[in-house]
Amino acid sequence: MPEYVIPAPPQAVLPIKGSDAVFPVRRIFCVGRNYAEHAIEMGSDPTREPPFYFTKPADAVVTGGADMPYPPASKELHHEMELVVAIGVGGANIPVADALKHVWGYCCGLDMTRRDLQNAAKKTGRPWDMGKGFDQSAPMGLLVPAAGVDASKGKIELTVNGKVVQTSDLSKLIWSIPEVIANLSELVTLAPGDLIMTGTPEGVAAVQKGDVLEGFVEGVGTIKTKIV
Ligand code: MN
């Protein structure tokens, strides 16, 4: 082992339901526009265009129900409630039929978005990174092992201050979880520790400091954070 010239970065981790062990996070991949009604509200055609991806840094995760600070440089912070897939076994060119064997577990996640920066980037053809991959942009709930979870269907919902703002069903994903894993593994070699945020249903909107966001995915769990 070489000696580091600066302190090594801490390993980002996700807590696991019913366990003191934690899941080390390697990379966070996010699927864009994977529910038809959300594609329409973002001004896109929801026909099955190939899935596309952006990323967040691993240390963007916010866990344990911790508060999320309102980020700098934005006046339009949007919530995007999503199912998160945690990869336990890596691979490239994974067949759809084998994809679920690569999943360690699932959790709820929020793909928090500086929509004003993302929209400006879209308009100028520039990268989305500063709209999507900023500090503490990915609050996540407890990870649950995949065994016994059927993530092909089930309600997904988000409330802000107790009012339902996003509600849909995992069965409405344009690209299913096995299809996303197979497609993404043709672009990069997936590795243990990778997370995939699978896209948000319709109803995205701005949040303000003081808002409490509470979401759940049926059969998976819950997520809660307060914007401060
Ligand atoms: Mn998203």
Side-chain angles (χ1 to χ4, degrees), residues 32-173:
R33 295 194 290 257
N34 203 17
Y35 289 82
E37 293 302 320
H38 174 62
I40 291 168
E41 77 178 349
M42 298 309 286
S44 298
D45 180 348
T47 50
R48 278 171 61 106
E49 59 175 350
F52 69 94
Y53 307 92
F54 55 91
T55 62
K56 293 174 185 269
D59 64 1
V61 295
V62 175
T63 60
D67 295 342
M68 178 193 166
Y70 198 99
S74 177
K75 289 187 163 56
E76 194 182 16
L77 177 65
H78 272 203
H79 55 72
E80 294 194 359
M81 177 67 197
E82 312 204 356
L83 173 71
V84 181
V85 176
I87 297 294
V89 178
N93 303 312
I94 297 167
V96 170
D98 292 342
L100 292 181
K101 296 176 191 160
H102 294 259
V103 177
W104 192 92
Y106 301 96
C107 68
C108 294
L110 286 164
D111 168 16
M112 299 302 290
T113 302
R114 292 194 285 208
R115 192 73 72 201
D116 43 0
L117 299 195
Q118 185 200 22
N119 285 341
K122 281 183 184 175
K123 209 173 283 178
T124 51
R126 289 177 180 163
W128 289 9
D129 299 47
M130 292 301 111
K132 287 289 195 178
F134 54 95
D135 298 339
Q136 294 162 288
S137 59
M140 293 195 184
L142 292 173
L143 193 58
V144 297
V149 176
D150 175 7
S152 67
K153 58 184 188 315
K155 195 172 185 180
I156 178 169
E157 190 165 283
L158 180 72
T159 66
V160 176
N161 303 327
K163 180 172 174 273
V164 175
V165 290
Q166 291 190 270
T167 186
S168 189
D169 195 281
L170 299 177
S171 61
K172 294 186 177 175
L173 281 169

Side-chain angles (χ1 to χ4, degrees), residues 10-29:
Q11 172 66 55
V13 298
L14 289 184
I16 295 166
K17 188 178 182 184
S19 172
D20 291 330
V22 292
F23 183 89
V25 179
R26 183 162 189 247
R27 296 173 291 189
I28 305 175
F29 297 98

